[in-house]
Amino acid sequence: MTLNANILLVGGPDDALLRKVGARALAASRSARPRVAALYAPIAGHPDGLAFMQRSVADMFPDADVRRVVLPGEDAHATADDARRAIDDADVVFVSGGDPVLGANLVRGCGADGWLRTAITRGAAIVGASAGSIILGAWWASWPEDENDGADDEHQGAKLVPCAAIAPRLVLDAHDEADDWAELRVVARLVKQRGDDVRFVGIPTAGAIAVDGDGKIESIGRAPFFLA
């Protein structure tokens, strides 16, 4: 089943899969040189990570006009107007890997989650990779830096963190199959206490999913994990 979907979420690093997902994201554009707005908020403050992700994005979207979007809070000189214009002009918006809590807080803190929803409505594709995929779902969690702080808590001290909710009925994790999706299971328990009607999905390394407006999911590459 191939969905007519413009939300594309990648689990973990796999060059061939990233190129496949990038080509699919660009396919709907009618521009001779599609515009890609790249958000690197999840790796704010990490220049080595930024350089790595920029190389990956260039490989993922060859021949596209890729422009970095710097969000307020990520850089002292960034403005909301500049960031929103870049997203409004884009055929594809990409959200990078890194720290999902940092990225979610920066995206929501300046209102960029609303700009992404507007982009979806006008037909742009939204692509997340690793932490970027998590951020595009409804919820994630933060954990205490000291593991002992949550030793007596069934949730390990985790606190829910609201994400951008571009896929509003999904809570997502990425490339954690080796740990049997342990963090996703903790987040699921916290979200279920709220009574939210969502699905919990783990996207493995070398796996991706496409999500349409009704929340239907198409698997690309390795199959996703669905937590009951």
Side-chain angles (χ1 to χ4, degrees):
M1 175 182 64
T2 301
L3 295 176
N4 181 19
N6 56 348
I7 302 173
L8 299 162
L9 307 171
V10 181
D14 181 275
D15 292 344
L17 180 65
L18 285 170
R19 286 191 290 269
K20 181 177 181 179
V21 170
R24 179 161 171 173
L26 294 173
S29 173
R30 297 179 181 177
S31 302
R33 192 178 185 214
R35 297 177 296 275
V36 176
L39 278 67
Y40 301 105
I43 47 175
H46 296 277
D48 291 343
L50 173 62
F52 173 80
M53 285 304 311
Q54 286 179 315
R55 290 192 297 270
S56 296
V57 172
D59 187 51
M60 188 176 186
F61 302 106
D63 303 321
D65 179 11
V66 180
R67 301 181 183 183
R68 180 184 177 189
V69 179
V70 182
L71 299 180
E74 184 181 352
D75 184 284
H77 302 291
T79 70
D81 287 344
D82 287 344
R84 180 162 193 171
R85 275 194 296 269
I87 291 172
D88 287 346
D89 288 343
D91 301 291
V92 176
V93 182
F94 173 83
V95 185
S96 81
D99 179 342
V101 174
L102 172 63
N105 287 339
L106 285 169
V107 167
R108 284 175 47 83
C110 69
D113 53 326
W115 312 337
L116 294 177
R117 283 190 283 275
T118 299
I120 281 281
T121 300
R122 65 173 171 79
I126 309 292
V127 180
S130 187
S133 295
I134 295 172
I135 290 165
L136 294 174
W139 293 98
W140 192 239
S142 62
W143 277 263
E145 290 187 13
D146 185 345
E147 293 182 2
N148 293 324
D149 289 347
D152 299 325
D153 178 3
E154 65 170 318
H155 306 309
Q156 302 163 16
K159 305 295 183 184
L160 282 178
V161 173
C163 293
I166 305 308
R169 296 187 64 184
L170 297 180
V171 172
L172 301 150
D173 195 4
H175 60 79
D176 194 37
E177 60 271 24
D179 202 23
D180 194 28
W181 305 104
E183 291 187 346
L184 180 63
R185 294 177 191 276
V186 173
V187 176
R189 291 197 295 269
L190 290 168
V191 173
K192 286 177 180 178
Q193 288 180 350
R194 293 175 46 87
D196 290 12
D197 181 18
V198 297
R199 301 173 75 188
F200 303 96
V201 183
I203 312 171
T205 302
I209 61 173
V211 184
D212 73 4
D214 296 324
K216 294 178 182 176
I217 292 174
E218 172 196 347
S219 176
I220 305 170
R222 288 184 63 194
F225 166 78
F226 294 95
L227 178 63

